[in-house]
Amino acid sequence: MLSSPLSRAARAEPLTPGGDTASRLQAQSLEAMAKLKQKQADQARERAAVIRALRTSSAQAAKAAARERIEMIKKRIEELLRTASATQTNA
């Protein structure tokens, strides 16, 4: 059933053919859903970037700690070799 232009105007509905409230609301709903999906996709990309950065940072910290341990072990070995060499010289 078609309503008259006056009754549609009274309900603040568009007067253009094919532009009824249900269609307009459906279009707005679809647009809002598309924006929401885009926002969710953007947030997922941001989370992935943060996770990659954290993993990279953790890996770099682990490498630095390993280098420090290696240096400490090297120094300890050198110290033990000097001590062993000095002991053999004094014996």
Side-chain angles (χ1 to χ4, degrees):
M1 175 176 155
L2 294 174
S3 58
S4 72
L6 286 178
S7 64
R8 289 177 70 189
R11 292 191 310 248
E13 293 181 2
L15 298 176
T16 59
D20 65 344
T21 302
S23 296
R24 184 173 43 84
L25 290 176
Q26 185 177 16
Q28 288 174 345
S29 174
L30 290 173
E31 183 180 343
M33 289 291 284
K35 286 180 182 179
L36 177 62
K37 287 186 183 280
Q38 181 63 44
K39 184 176 180 178
Q40 288 173 336
D42 292 344
Q43 288 173 339
R45 278 191 292 279
E46 288 173 11
R47 281 192 302 274
V50 168
I51 289 170
R52 276 192 305 276
L54 287 172
R55 286 181 180 159
T56 300
S57 176
S58 294
Q60 289 172 343
K63 286 178 185 178
R67 280 190 221 107
E68 288 178 17
R69 284 191 301 272
I70 290 169
E71 286 302 315
M72 288 175 48
I73 291 169
K74 282 182 183 179
K75 288 179 183 177
R76 181 68 179 140
I77 290 171
E78 290 171 357
E79 182 182 313
L80 289 171
L81 288 173
R82 279 194 303 273
T83 305
S85 176
T87 304
Q88 285 179 352
T89 306
N90 291 337

